[in-house]
């Protein structure tokens, strides 16, 4: 089962995505801030993928991605943001954040996010 | 050969004749001839007076001379004649003939027996006086006197004088008259010539000045029209001739109302300015038969001392457009700032709505195993439930919510385009590729609701392949092109024109910029719409179809983010043309 952590400061958004991905057969945890997410990862919880919002209280999503990627390179990182003009910096790209892992809110079709997670996590699973 | 020989002869001659005729006909010539005649007559008149008075003088003197000399000779020769002493008579005469004018003296005897000439003395050509047989020639003045001796008349003495001296003096006077005539005329002609050449020079200078002023007048980019205090046109420059479609020759002397026929509104302004003596300024609008609106500015300047007015007419369409654009810019900036801040905040609630809809839809379907599981647990028949939901139009409502959320999301996305953070994405792009991509994307945007279909529209591409790569934000410029192409497609679908609908997209490199032109042969738009299309939320489309953001976003992206230019021209029933100008290197364009 694919384990996903979704980080967003809006509980209703977390709720919606969680419901959808769970219907897709994933195990979804949620966090309201980057700090909370870091704590969850460090307390030896295992995730295949983490979805970050960019604008978060405290540490921003992209900072958290860079931070986590240096320690957990095998985890897949996704962005789901409300700002249209987000561009992956070269740093972010080296953290595996290609443009097809960036999603813009509102997600008109959550199946695309689900498909991307399936694609990236599965590929990894068959590799290892 | 014959022809040349024939033509060479008269070719010189008419030139001279012409010159002569011109000269003859000229004022200068008549003046000179007149002056010559007058001075000559005057000089001759005075000369004649001199001449006749000199003649009178001479006559008087000669008469007096013959009187005097004849008396003396008659007195002195009486004795000798009586004693017939010829020798003494000769001596006497000789001594009396010292005066050069005395020509001859003749002494005759009157005795009965011995009558006749006693002595004749004549002056010879060399001036000496000698005895001659007789004096034959006639002299103009002579005097005969009786020689009396003791009461008896014994002879006569006749004295003749010559008028040669007089003639000589007369000749001198005559010569003097001639010389005076010549000298005076030559001097007067020279003076006249000097004055004339000076006045000719002044005239030439005046002409030169007039030409120069006319040149300045004509070189003005404005149309200038001058009139006198009765509003009669006195002058107009070339620009005015072009604008009014009237030549100066036709308009001169006409009332200004008859000349400014295309601007009847201008006439009361001119009257008012003339009355108050205050300069006036006013904007005029004029639509030509093609529906193109031109803005004019009229200035009326009253001349000093109420001597009339000068009217200046300028085509200020360009300036009016720029003013409109600046107002537009202001609006965009404030809207942009507000929109960018708001959009992000709206996206989250929209996300919740959109996600909730998707979840509701999925969790109602009978294909998801979990749904079945829960339904069974609760004893609900999913098929029945779905029938109920369909019957009560729950799915329709759900669809409505989804569509509304999508619409709102589109608006927000457009508004987010106002965010200034764009320069970081600038990269050199091939313009032809970019345009092609945009066309492909808009074709893909086939939208049932918007009712346009690219299958029926001919898209003509005219690319200038020599255009260098342009530094731009590719996706944003594509968005601009898509917005414009979609508008064109929708406009074409609306028009019931007989023309086959067509969109022509051309690119062209120019100095430091690339121009992208998107032209359609749709219905066009009138001036009031054209003025407003770049305004945010301005749309003529039904609610739900148009947001009115497409062009304002395009405007913002081109003007603000790319320091380029976007313009529109439109003619009702002919079509619309958008022109986008992008600097090839926006960093070289000064920041506003
Ligand atoms: N090619 C065109 N021909 C005629 N009218 C046009 C054209 N392009 C734009 N317009 C007019 O400009 C208005 C504003 O366009 P836009 O800003 O894209 O908003 P929208 O398309 O949502 O109405 C349109 O509603 C339409 O009236
Ligand atoms: Mg539009």
């Amino acid at each position: 089962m694919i384990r996903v952590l979704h980080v967003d400061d809006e509980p209703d958004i977390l709720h919606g995505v969680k419901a959808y991905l769970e219907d897709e057969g994933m195990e979804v945890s949620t966090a309201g801030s980057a700090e909370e997410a870091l704590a969850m990862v460090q307390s030896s919880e295992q995730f295949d993928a983490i979805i970050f919002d960019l604008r978060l209280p405290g540490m921003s999503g992209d900072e958290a991605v860079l931070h986590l990627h240096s320690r957990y390179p095998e985890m897949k990182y996704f962005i789901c943001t409300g700002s249209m003009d987000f561009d992956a910096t070269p740093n972010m790209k080296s953290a595996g954040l290609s443009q097809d892992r960036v999603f813009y809110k509102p997600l008109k079709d959550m199946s695309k996010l689900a498909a991307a997670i399936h694609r990236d996590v599965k590929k990894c699973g068959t590799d290892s | 050969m014959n022809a040349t020989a024939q033509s060479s002869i008269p070719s010189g001659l008419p030139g001279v004749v012409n010159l002569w005729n011109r000269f003859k006909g000229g004022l200068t010539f008549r003046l000179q001839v007149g002056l010559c005649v007058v001075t000559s007559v005057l000089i001759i008149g005075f000369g004649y007076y001199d001449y006749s008075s000199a003649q009178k003088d001479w006559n008087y003197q000669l008469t007096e001379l013959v009187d005097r000399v004849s008396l003396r000779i008659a007195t002195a020769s009486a004795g000798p004649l009586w004693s017939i002493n010829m020798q003494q008579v000769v001596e006497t005469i000789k001594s009396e003939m010292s005066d050069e004018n005395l020509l001859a003296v003749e002494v005759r005897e009157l005795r009965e027996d011995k009558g006749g000439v006693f002595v004749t003395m004549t002056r010879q050509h060399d001036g000496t006086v000698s005895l001659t047989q007789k004096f034959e020639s006639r002299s103009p003045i002579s005097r005969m006197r009786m020689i009396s001796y003791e009461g008896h008349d014994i002879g006569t003495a006749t004295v003749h004088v010559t008028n040669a001296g007089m003639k000589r003096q007369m000749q001198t006077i005559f010569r003097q008259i001639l010389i005076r005539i010549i000298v005076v005329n030559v001097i007067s002609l020279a003076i006249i010539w000097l004055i004339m050449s000076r006045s000719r020079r002044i005239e030439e200078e005046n002409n030169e000045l007039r030409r120069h002023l006319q040149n300045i007048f004509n070189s003005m980019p404005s149309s200038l029209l001058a009139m006198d205090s009765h509003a009669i046109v006195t002058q107009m420059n070339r620009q005015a001739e072009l604008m009014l479609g009237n030549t100066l020759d036709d308009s001169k002397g006409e009332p200004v109302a008859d000349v400014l026929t295309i601007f009847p509104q201008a006439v009361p302004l001119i009257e008012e300015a003339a009355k108050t003596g205050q300069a006036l300024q006013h904007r005029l609008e004029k639509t030509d038969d093609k529906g193109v609106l031109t803005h004019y500015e009229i200035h009326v300047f009253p001349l000093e001392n109420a001597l009339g007015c000068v009217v200046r007419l300028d085509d200020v369409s360009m300036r009016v457009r720029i003013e409109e654009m600046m107002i537009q810019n202001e609006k965009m900036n404030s809207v942009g700032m507000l929109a960018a801040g708001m959009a992000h905040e709206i996206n989250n609630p929209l996300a919740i709505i959109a996600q909730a809809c998707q979840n509701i839809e999925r969790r109602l379907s009978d294909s998801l195993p979990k749904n079945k599981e829960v339904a069974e647990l609760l004893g609900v028949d999913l098929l029945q439930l779905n029938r109920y939901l369909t019957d009560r139009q729950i799915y329709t409502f759900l669809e409505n919510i989804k569509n509304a959320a999508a619409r709102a999301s589109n608006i927000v996305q457009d508004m987010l385009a106002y965010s200034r953070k764009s320069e970081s994405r600038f990269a050199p792009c091939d313009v032809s590729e970019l345009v092609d991509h945009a066309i492909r994307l808009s074709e893909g945007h086939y939208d049932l609701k918007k009712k346009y279909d690219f299958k029926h529209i001919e898209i003509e591409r005219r690319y200038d392949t020599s255009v260098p790569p342009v530094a731009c934000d590719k996706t944003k410029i594509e968005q601009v092109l898509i917005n414009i192409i979609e508008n064109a497609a929708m406009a074409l679908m609306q028009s019931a024109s007989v023309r086959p609908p067509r969109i022509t997209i051309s690119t062209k490199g120019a100095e430091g910029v690339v121009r992208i032109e998107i032209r359609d042969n749709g219905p066009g738009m009138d001036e009031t719409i054209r003025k407003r299309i770049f305004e945010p939320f301005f749309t003529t489309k039904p609610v739900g179809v148009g947001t009115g953001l497409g062009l304002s976003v395009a405007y913002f992206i081109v003007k603000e983010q790319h320091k380029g230019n976007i313009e529109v021209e439109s003619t009702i029933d002919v079509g619309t043309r958008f022109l986008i100008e992008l600097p090839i290197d926006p960093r070289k364009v000064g920041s506003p």
Side-chain angles (χ1 to χ4, degrees):
Chain A
M1 198 185 269
I2 298 173
R3 287 152 304 170
V4 180
L5 173 61
H6 188 192
V7 191
D8 200 304
D9 56 339
E10 283 258 5
D12 289 347
I13 288 181
L14 290 176
H15 184 201
V17 174
K18 180 176 154 81
Y20 195 94
L21 294 182
E22 277 175 355
D23 283 351
E24 288 282 320
M26 301 179 194
E27 189 187 303
V28 183
S29 310
T30 58
S33 69
E35 286 83 357
E36 195 187 330
L38 291 187
M40 286 166 78
V41 174
Q42 273 154 16
S43 68
S44 76
E45 273 190 65
Q46 295 286 307
F47 299 105
D48 300 305
I50 304 189
I51 307 165
F52 272 107
D53 185 13
L54 283 177
R55 283 222 299 215
L56 289 168
M59 186 189 270
S60 73
D62 43 338
E63 271 177 88
V65 169
L66 290 177
H67 188 84
L68 282 171
H69 180 72
S70 56
R71 266 181 256 178
Y72 309 96
E74 74 286 352
M75 256 193 312
K76 305 296 168 218
Y77 300 92
F78 294 82
I79 294 285
C80 186
T81 175
S83 54
M84 290 296 297
D85 54 355
F86 169 74
D87 252 335
T89 59
N91 264 349
M92 299 288 278
K93 282 193 176 132
S94 70
L97 264 172
S98 55
Q99 200 64 37
D100 59 358
R101 288 197 193 171
V102 179
F103 294 86
Y104 298 103
K105 285 192 256 186
L107 290 167
K108 280 178 205 152
D109 191 355
M110 285 188 285
S111 66
K112 285 182 182 155
L113 174 65
I117 297 172
H118 277 304
R119 174 194 69 202
D120 289 353
V121 173
K122 275 221 186 88
K123 192 167 60 190
C124 182
T126 49
D127 284 354
S128 55
Chain B
M1 264 175 81
N2 220 348
T4 51
Q6 273 177 348
S7 65
S8 69
I9 300 166
S11 72
L13 210 61
V16 175
V17 171
N18 271 349
L19 211 70
W20 166 244
N21 280 343
R22 235 192 6 236
F23 179 63
K24 204 173 69 179
L27 177 75
T28 319
F29 176 77
R30 270 181 248 153
L31 195 76
Q32 283 175 351
V33 168
L35 200 76
C36 280
V37 169
V38 170
T39 49
S40 303
V41 166
L42 278 177
I43 290 168
I44 289 170
F46 283 118
Y48 179 75
Y49 176 77
D50 272 2
Y51 180 87
S52 56
S53 61
Q55 203 172 30
K56 249 186 239 143
D57 237 33
W58 270 97
N59 277 335
Y60 174 78
Q61 274 177 29
L62 290 178
T63 316
E64 197 258 349
L65 183 69
V66 288
D67 275 356
R68 184 164 35 91
V69 171
S70 60
L71 183 65
R72 278 166 58 169
I73 290 175
T75 315
S77 56
L81 185 65
W82 181 254
S83 53
I84 317 177
N85 186 345
M86 193 170 127
Q87 192 56 43
Q88 198 163 353
V89 173
V90 169
E91 287 302 314
T92 310
I93 292 172
K94 235 183 189 161
S95 72
E96 290 297 336
M97 274 184 74
S98 58
D99 194 309
E100 292 255 296
N101 290 308
L102 293 168
L103 183 63
V105 175
E106 206 178 32
V107 176
R108 283 173 181 262
E109 282 177 294
L110 285 181
R111 267 178 281 184
E112 259 110 88
D113 50 338
K114 274 171 99 189
V117 176
F118 183 66
V119 170
T120 307
M121 291 201 76
T122 312
R123 188 179 297 277
Q124 303 301 312
H125 288 298
D126 59 358
T128 57
V129 178
S130 59
L131 216 57
T132 48
Q133 288 292 306
K134 55 183 185 227
F135 176 68
E136 275 168 354
S137 36
R138 291 170 144 296
S139 91
I141 297 169
S142 57
R143 179 85 162 109
M144 191 176 79
R145 270 187 198 271
M146 279 296 162
I147 302 172
S148 310
Y149 190 78
E150 293 179 345
H152 304 282
D153 293 342
I154 57 169
T156 60
T158 312
V159 175
H160 298 275
V161 289
T162 173
N163 61 356
M166 182 171 86
K167 271 191 187 144
R168 243 180 286 126
Q169 195 182 347
M170 292 302 130
Q171 268 170 12
T172 312
I173 289 175
F174 200 67
R175 257 201 311 278
Q176 275 174 354
I177 289 173
L178 265 179
I179 290 171
R180 263 184 225 153
I181 286 176
I182 291 169
V183 168
V184 168
N185 277 331
V186 164
I187 290 175
S188 70
L189 289 186
I191 290 171
I192 286 175
W193 187 80
L194 270 177
I195 293 170
M196 282 300 161
S197 67
R198 213 180 111 79
S199 74
R200 229 185 343 258
R201 208 173 58 234
I202 291 172
E203 197 181 330
E204 260 162 34
E205 280 170 7
N206 280 344
N207 281 341
E208 181 64 29
L209 189 68
R210 200 168 48 228
R211 269 197 299 276
H212 190 55
L213 287 176
Q214 191 69 38
N215 200 346
I216 293 173
F217 196 53
N218 278 334
S219 305
M220 291 291 162
S222 305
S223 297
L224 297 172
L225 189 81
M227 67 208 69
D228 65 12
S229 50
H230 304 294
I232 300 294
V233 173
T234 55
Q235 269 292 344
M236 66 201 272
N237 69 353
R238 195 151 303 143
Q239 208 59 36
E241 291 182 334
L242 290 176
M243 186 186 278
L244 302 173
N246 240 331
T247 64
L248 172 60
D249 292 338
D250 290 342
S251 313
K252 211 168 188 168
E254 298 291 323
V256 70
D258 293 351
V259 176
L260 281 175
T261 42
I262 61 167
F263 297 114
Q265 320 93 301
V267 177
L269 290 173
I270 294 170
E271 281 164 5
E272 195 191 328
K275 207 163 67 203
T276 59
Q278 299 273 304
L280 268 181
Q281 178 193 347
H282 203 74
R283 283 263 170 98
L284 304 173
E285 286 185 358
K286 189 111 202 104
T287 316
D288 68 9
D289 28 317
K290 284 195 204 128
V292 177
L293 183 98
T294 316
H295 299 266
Y296 294 96
E297 196 166 76
I298 181 171
H299 285 261
V300 187
F301 305 107
L303 295 177
E304 278 175 14
N305 307 325
L307 285 176
C309 293
V310 177
V311 172
R312 193 179 103 193
L313 275 162
D314 291 288
D315 181 343
V316 291
S317 306
M318 208 54 192
R319 206 162 77 205
V320 171
R321 292 252 165 109
I322 291 170
E323 281 168 11
E324 279 172 14
M325 288 289 184
M326 279 168 68
I327 293 168
Q328 185 69 33
N329 257 352
E330 296 276 295
K331 279 186 193 161
M332 301 298 295
N333 281 342
S334 43
V335 169
M337 263 148 62
L338 192 71
M342 248 169 60
H344 187 263
E345 293 313 312
I346 294 172
N347 267 339
N348 277 338
L350 280 179
I352 295 165
I353 296 170
Q355 289 165 9
C357 289
Q358 290 169 54
N359 283 327
I360 292 167
E361 267 185 335
R362 214 151 70 140
R363 292 194 170 184
L364 284 173
S365 87
D366 53 358
S367 54
L368 206 70
K370 179 93 190 227
N371 291 0
K372 282 185 191 157
E373 203 179 293
V374 176
E376 248 164 59
L377 206 73
L378 297 177
V380 176
D381 182 355
L382 269 183
L383 282 173
Q384 280 293 102
L385 179 63
N386 266 312
R387 284 244 293 280
Y388 171 81
L389 292 174
T390 311
D391 271 10
R392 299 298 293 145
Q393 296 179 306
I394 307 298
Y395 282 121
T396 316
F397 294 135
L398 198 58
E399 193 63 30
N400 287 351
I401 296 173
K402 262 171 67 182
N403 284 342
R407 228 170 85 194
S409 159
N410 281 340
I411 296 175
V412 169
Q413 264 179 39
D414 280 342
M415 276 162 51
L416 274 173
Y418 292 119
S419 65
R420 282 166 189 276
K421 266 170 66 187
S422 187
E423 285 79 359
S424 58
R425 291 196 218 174
F426 274 28
C429 294
D430 182 87
V431 179
S432 310
E433 233 171 65
L434 188 151
V435 176
D436 268 340
H437 192 231
I439 295 172
R440 255 200 321 280
L441 286 175
S442 8
E443 282 169 341
H445 275 209
Y446 169 72
D447 189 327
L448 255 180
K449 206 176 218 169
K450 288 185 179 171
K451 295 193 194 70
Y452 65 81
D453 186 353
F454 276 93
K455 278 197 274 302
H456 303 299
I457 298 173
E458 183 193 338
I459 296 198
E460 189 186 339
R461 295 158 216 236
R462 293 192 198 151
Y463 298 159
D464 174 356
T465 47
S466 67
V467 177
V470 174
C472 64
D473 182 339
K474 188 163 176 279
T475 49
K476 294 242 160 124
I477 296 300
E478 277 172 7
Q479 194 190 339
V480 170
L481 297 177
I482 291 167
N483 289 354
I484 293 173
I485 294 170
E486 278 187 2
N487 282 344
M490 290 186 74
L492 285 169
M493 287 300 104
Q494 283 161 17
S495 74
S497 155
V498 283
R499 290 186 298 262
R502 174 195 307 213
I503 300 176
T504 308
I505 303 173
S506 50
T507 65
K508 184 115 199 70
E511 215 171 293
V513 296
V514 54
R515 296 207 179 98
I516 306 172
E517 189 196 272
I518 297 130
R519 186 197 289 267
D520 67 62
N521 59 355
M525 46 193 144
D526 65 26
E527 185 61 19
T528 43
I529 292 179
R530 188 200 62 74
K531 269 187 185 166
R532 299 191 55 196
I533 57 169
F534 293 118
E535 270 176 34
F537 304 110
F538 175 79
T539 180
T540 57
K541 292 166 193 170
V543 180
V545 178
T547 60
L549 281 171
L551 290 178
S552 75
V553 164
Y555 186 92
F556 182 81
I557 291 172
V558 172
K559 287 281 251 204
E560 290 295 312
Q561 293 184 333
H562 288 82
K563 309 286 172 249
N565 212 356
I566 180 166
E567 271 172 31
V568 62
E569 278 170 22
S570 191
T571 312
I572 294 274
D573 290 336
V574 174
T576 306
R577 170 176 170 264
F578 281 89
L579 186 70
I580 299 166
E581 208 172 77
L582 293 176
I584 286 168
D585 188 352
R587 280 167 303 175
K588 286 189 188 149
V589 182
S591 47

